[in-house]
């Protein structure tokens, strides 16, 4: 199977996952054509996952594909975006049609789960990595930024934290071939859920938001830096996933939950959501990240160290 | 220098290359925010270049960065798009600040040359590759597709073909450290020019367009397949770059010129352009690619072979 046949297979396997009312031209031309709905601005982000750095290459291809999409889509959620489209660049050591079909199935499933179609891509020979550029729509001027937190805001996170870090610490992720092999910890690693519904609900209410990809303390540190505030956290309020430690919940990456701030009184105006929200602390005028009254360094995951 | 410091350096080095009137939020948040101008649709594409597959890793970083941007932007040109924005995902074996600064300089120069800002990116540890997602704006309904050619259309290419293939065949590209080391052949390899001005001028005139990335015969084959036509080419009319052979001009990739079809009479309505246009043949009702009356197989570069 040559490159073009493999691309044809991918496009066929994507099926409805390449379609949406705003997609004028999908895969197959030099570029896709998208009609951004009236009144909407675009949010745009790109993320790459590299074999044996960000995922175990021996894991099931569908698990890898699902995770690749959600990692990028999580940034859309953090901006309060919906809809939009994905572009996927696959660097593959060889063009194994069965492996690519599995990857495509996982990507298509994730794409359908968040309502963001895959409209184009690229296939290149090279060490295994998957890059997803994700774009979403948000009403003009309503994108959630990192920079709007104010002292006195409540600091919240969605869901539970630490499960993905616990799964990594336990090991064995490379032996997961399919969804049937996943327990609650490994499911959180391979099948994070980009919180698109939460992000949408936060528009006009949250003053700032970020997704938890590098670890809660690290990502909150970025939010505080952008906003010019500090944060006082209550460790007892941090939602630690079953099987994880508080340390993993505070510093583990890969959970892809949302962290955001709400001004006083805003929480009561949120609609009902499918995921629990936890108030873990409060933004402060004094800079720095404080846990139970003690200042701590931001200590999340970094890809490069000096 | 850690990951975040390296990202700060990149954003500082991008400077004005991250800005445009339609960029509401540039690098630094979870995602960029873009206001697509009224009446415009978006075209969107992604391409990756992998070290020692699509470029020699030992070449100068600025040369590599320039080429990475132009490879993706060429698809925007082929759609008749302008403006828009780029997202860049860098997979780097190590975070060498000097190398990254050179790469950024090359990307920024290319970005400025085509008027498309770099608004976001990702940095990951991994084997060296550079992925660029490129988006452009085109008036609604005016994107140039591959699928509109009709029998009797003239078939055209811009510029000259074969120089990049001749440079690859000659070798030594990995010894090119900077622009000062380039001769006309290696300059065409490292510094292709996405034909944005031509694409824009072709809106409303050309019936179909594609960029020449895999080789003229191969890419014309895709255009013909999409349009349901054939093409009769006159080899004497193919603009062969000085130092290249006709074979290189017909089958060599990497030139990133545009190939397009115009209905009879349309050529006279084109504005003056900075690059020469060459009428190399005519679209036919009979399918297939024909050269001087003999049918030939599409024979361009393929990344994977069965």
């Amino acid at each position: 199977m040559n490159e073009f046949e493999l691309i044809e297979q991918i496009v066929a396997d994507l099926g409805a996952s390449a379609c949406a009312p705003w997609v004028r031209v999908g895969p197959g031309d030099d570029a896709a054509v998208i009609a951004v709905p009236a009144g909407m601005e675009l949010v745009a982000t790109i993320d790459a996952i590299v074999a044996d750095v960000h995922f175990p290459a021996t894991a099931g291809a569908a698990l890898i594909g699902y995770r690749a999409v959600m990692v990028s889509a999580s940034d859309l959620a953090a901006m309060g975006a919906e809809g939009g489209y994905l572009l996927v660049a696959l660097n593959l050591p060889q063009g194994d049609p069965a492996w690519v079909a599995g990857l495509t199935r996982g990507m298509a499933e994730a794409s359908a789960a968040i309502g963001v179609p895959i409209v184009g891509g690229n296939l290149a020979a090279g060490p295994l990595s998957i890059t997803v550029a994700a774009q979403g729509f948000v009403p003009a001027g309503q994108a959630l930024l990192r920079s709007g937190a104010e002292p006195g805001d409540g600091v919240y996170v969605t869901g539970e934290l630490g499960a993905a870090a616990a799964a990594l610490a336990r090991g064995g992720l490379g032996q997961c071939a399919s969804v049937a092999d996943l327990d609650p910890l490994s499911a959180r690693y391979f099948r994070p859920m980009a919180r698109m519904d939460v992000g949408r609900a936060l528009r006009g209410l949250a003053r700032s938001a970020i997704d938890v990809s590098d670890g809660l303390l690290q990502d909150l540190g970025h939010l505080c830096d952008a906003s010019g505030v500090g944060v006082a956290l209550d460790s007892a309020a941090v939602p630690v996933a079953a099987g994880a430690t508080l340390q993993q919940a505070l510093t583990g990456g890969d959970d892809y939950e949302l962290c955001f701030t709400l001004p006083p009184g805003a929480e009561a105006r949120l609609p009902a959501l499918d995921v629990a929200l936890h108030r873990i602390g409060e933004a402060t005028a004094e800079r720095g990240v404080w846990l139970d009254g003690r200042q701590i360094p931001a200590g999340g995951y970094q890809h490069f160290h000096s």
Side-chain angles (χ1 to χ4, degrees), chain A residues 6-291:
Chain A
L6 198 53
I7 291 172
E8 277 181 22
Q9 176 201 293
I10 293 171
V11 173
D13 288 349
L14 283 175
S17 298
C19 301
W22 51 87
V23 180
R24 293 281 180 271
V25 177
D29 214 297
D30 288 294
V33 181
I34 309 293
V36 177
M40 292 290 199
E41 286 176 346
L42 206 63
V43 308
T45 180
I46 192 166
D47 271 295
I49 60 173
V50 177
D52 298 327
V53 178
H54 307 99
F55 65 91
T58 56
L63 297 176
I64 295 168
Y66 191 97
R67 184 164 189 275
V69 165
M70 287 298 182
V71 165
S72 285
S74 179
D75 284 320
L76 300 185
M79 302 294 286
E82 61 189 292
Y85 62 92
L86 308 174
L87 303 168
V88 179
L90 301 179
N91 293 355
L92 300 178
Q94 64 275 322
D96 174 0
W99 194 90
V100 172
L103 187 85
T104 305
R105 195 169 63 248
M107 293 195 301
E109 189 190 348
S111 159
I114 56 173
V116 185
I118 299 170
V119 302
N122 187 69
L123 205 53
L128 181 59
S129 74
I130 303 159
T131 304
V132 179
Q135 348 273 318
F137 306 137
V138 67
Q142 291 192 38
L144 303 174
L145 304 184
R146 298 178 177 181
S147 53
E150 293 183 19
D153 281 4
V155 176
Y156 296 80
V157 292
T158 57
E160 298 175 329
L161 299 173
L168 279 165
R170 185 182 59 183
L173 292 172
Q175 280 77 59
C176 298
S178 73
V179 172
D181 297 326
L182 303 180
D183 70 356
L185 292 185
S186 50
R188 287 296 302 168
Y189 177 83
F190 280 117
R191 293 172 66 88
M193 184 63 210
R195 300 296 184 192
M196 308 285 289
D197 291 346
V198 178
R200 211 153 36 215
L202 292 175
R203 288 182 200 154
L205 290 174
R207 282 198 173 124
S208 65
I210 191 169
D211 71 322
V212 181
S213 54
D214 291 333
L216 177 64
L217 297 180
Q218 177 117 337
D219 291 316
L220 247 182
H222 294 315
L223 185 148
C224 288
D225 288 345
S227 293
V229 300
V231 63
L233 297 177
D234 172 11
S235 67
V238 173
V240 181
T245 65
L246 176 63
Q247 174 77 13
Q248 287 166 336
L250 292 172
T251 63
D254 295 310
D255 284 310
Y256 298 100
E257 296 292 350
L258 291 191
C259 178
F260 56 94
T261 75
L262 291 173
E267 184 179 350
R269 289 154 57 204
L270 279 172
L273 294 166
D274 283 343
V275 63
L277 304 184
H278 305 274
R279 189 184 198 281
I280 60 172
E282 189 169 306
T284 59
E286 186 177 11
R287 300 291 296 269
V289 178
W290 304 74
L291 184 68

